[in-house]
Amino acid sequence: MRLLWISAIVAFLLDQISKYVVVHVMGVNGGRIVDVLPPVLRFIYGENRGINFGLFSGVVPVWVLVAIALAICVGVLIWILRVPQPPLARVCAGLLIGGALGNVLDRLIYGYVLDFLNSSCCGWNNPSVYNVGDIFIFVGAIGLVFLGQETRKGKKGA
């Protein structure tokens, strides 16, 4: 379980520190755009008031989004505690939980999730922004899909 908690804390802290530095120290929230690795990576301020990529923005109340994220975190945690998992799967679960809790904290403080990463390439201008917590959520979820173990009680050879 130590791996899960360490990865969750690291993901949470990296998410929150990166948002603070980019938005408050670098001043990206004032409309400033920072080309980090042009044309692939830019810092652009964004406020996600919906689900992924702003879907259902303004339609779903903040408390519902917070409740859904917390329910997913609890569900992943219960699954990890009940079904023995390889170490890397526990790390992935921690990344997912830490990233999700970083976004939950944003919703509780600001009423929206702070986003600042924009990836575009080769003449395609991506209008979406995301954050470090979103990366951890994605990597954690994909990792759990491929690395997670499922035990089926009563079914041999399944």
Side-chain angles (χ1 to χ4, degrees), residues 117-140:
L117 294 167
N118 174 263
S119 302
S120 299
C121 184
C122 313
W124 174 66
N125 188 18
N126 180 6
S128 300
V129 289
Y130 55 98
N131 61 50
V132 173
D134 295 336
I135 296 169
F136 287 131
I137 293 167
F138 178 79
V139 169

Side-chain angles (χ1 to χ4, degrees), residues 3-12 15 68-77 79-80 88-104 131-145:
L3 285 174
L4 183 141
W5 297 119
I6 291 171
S7 60
I9 291 167
V10 167
F12 177 84
D15 175 60
I68 290 170
L70 291 175
I72 291 169
C73 289
V74 169
V76 168
L77 188 58
W79 176 63
I80 288 291
L88 201 49
R90 290 193 295 268
V91 169
C92 290
L95 295 177
L96 188 151
I97 291 169
L101 291 178
N103 286 345
V104 163
N131 61 50
V132 173
D134 295 336
I135 296 169
F136 287 131
I137 293 167
F138 178 79
V139 169
I142 294 297
L144 287 175
V145 167

Side-chain angles (χ1 to χ4, degrees), residues 28-155:
V28 171
N29 62 336
R32 182 172 172 233
I33 296 173
V34 177
D35 285 322
V36 179
L37 195 63
V40 178
L41 181 64
R42 298 185 302 175
F43 290 165
I44 300 174
Y45 181 77
E47 297 176 359
N48 185 350
R49 298 177 186 274
I51 304 175
N52 201 353
F53 299 115
L55 294 172
F56 307 113
S57 182
V59 176
V60 181
V62 171
W63 67 268
V64 171
L65 298 175
V66 167
I68 290 170
L70 291 175
I72 291 169
C73 289
V74 169
V76 168
L77 188 58
I78 289 171
W79 176 63
I80 288 291
L81 291 173
R82 286 190 177 178
V83 179
Q85 298 293 330
L88 201 49
R90 290 193 295 268
V91 169
C92 290
L95 295 177
L96 188 151
I97 291 169
L101 291 178
N103 286 345
V104 163
L105 182 62
D106 282 4
R107 289 192 195 282
L108 293 174
I109 292 173
Y110 307 111
Y112 52 85
V113 175
L114 285 173
D115 288 332
F116 63 89
L117 294 167
N118 174 263
S119 302
S120 299
C121 184
C122 313
W124 174 66
N125 188 18
N126 180 6
S128 300
V129 289
Y130 55 98
N131 61 50
V132 173
D134 295 336
I135 296 169
F136 287 131
I137 293 167
F138 178 79
V139 169
I142 294 297
L144 287 175
V145 167
F146 289 106
L147 302 171
Q149 302 285 324
E150 181 180 345
T151 59
R152 299 174 190 226
K153 295 179 182 175
K155 295 184 179 179

